[in-house]
Amino acid sequence: MKLDLTAKGKPQELILAYLQKNASEVLAEKINHGVRITKDGKSLINKKTLDGFMTFANSEAKKLAEKGANSACVEDSVVYGWAIHYFEEDSIKGTLYNEDGTEYKPPKPDIKTTAAPVKVEPPKPKQQQGSLFDMLAAQPDKTEQADDHEPVDDAEDEEPTEEEIAEVMEQEQITPTPLPPAKPRPSAWYQQYLSVKEKYKDSILFYRLGDFYEMFGNDACTCADVLDLTLTGRDCGLQERVPMTGVPFHAADAYMAKLVSHGYKVVIAERINGELRERTAEPSLEELSVDEETGEVLPVEEMRKFDGDIAEPKIPVTQEIPDDEDELPDFDAKAFDPEALCAIDELLGKIISLR
């Protein structure tokens, strides 16, 4: 199926050629027609381009670069793996289109004006009407004040200030208990991966996603170390990206054989006719051999070129040696160094006789 992608420049042409050769029918359908998503309450179509992939690959390369470095060396196989992942992963956003084919423009946020807070003054206490005797009792003794020459402290009769009233009201307000932040939930496919991994805790799980078998978490770290793969990360709906590495499904047997040769157990999980099935991987070690120096996995027929199994050439016999030792043919002693022959004769116990 021809892919509906436009390449700009040599790098994009190489990526397009790889996708055209290796993309499955499902992946080609995503590339050509996009993926339907829901955003802002609308049904939209998420479609990706090679320009978008180059931006994605640039960000992935920065993650691999050493701290403070301005560049990174990335192998072609890793970049091609990024390309498959970029166009296959639905959570990665490309260009969004409406149902009628026009490009989607997100609505502008509403600018809300905040009204100035209204100052509320507490009601003044009502004055209670007292009797004539109460009013007389409340009058200060002017004679006593004149004799003592002491000022009358009328601070208790003053009304509270606005600052004091506001402070009391703040103390009396009940502060609501903040709700705990919502915990992020893993993606649906990753929840399914975790449920399978729970069954095979002592094995490395090869989980089929598109054209790759992918490994996550500790399995990914182990495979990156043993198989010399690049360790990356993937968004699984959690706060942080989960460590990830992967291998193409058509070359997975060689990698599994190498893991088994190092003592690891391997389990495969993949969808067959829409149903997720699990099986233990048991690659034939008789048909595959691991080069201990390079770690490369080669078939037995190819290894025979290096392990001495090739038939050695036959040396033609020019003269038959008779069974009778006395009838052995003479040979020319001049072809040998006399001193060397004497030294060998001393070491072997004088068993050499020249004729």
Side-chain angles (χ1 to χ4, degrees), residues 45 96-104:
I45 298 175
L96 301 181
Y97 294 91
N98 296 307
E99 295 286 351
D100 58 0
T102 59
E103 185 173 350
Y104 171 73

Side-chain angles (χ1 to χ4, degrees), residues 34-46:
V35 178
R36 191 176 300 276
I37 65 171
T38 302
K39 184 177 181 181
D40 299 332
K42 295 184 177 181
S43 178
L44 305 174
I45 298 175
N46 180 24

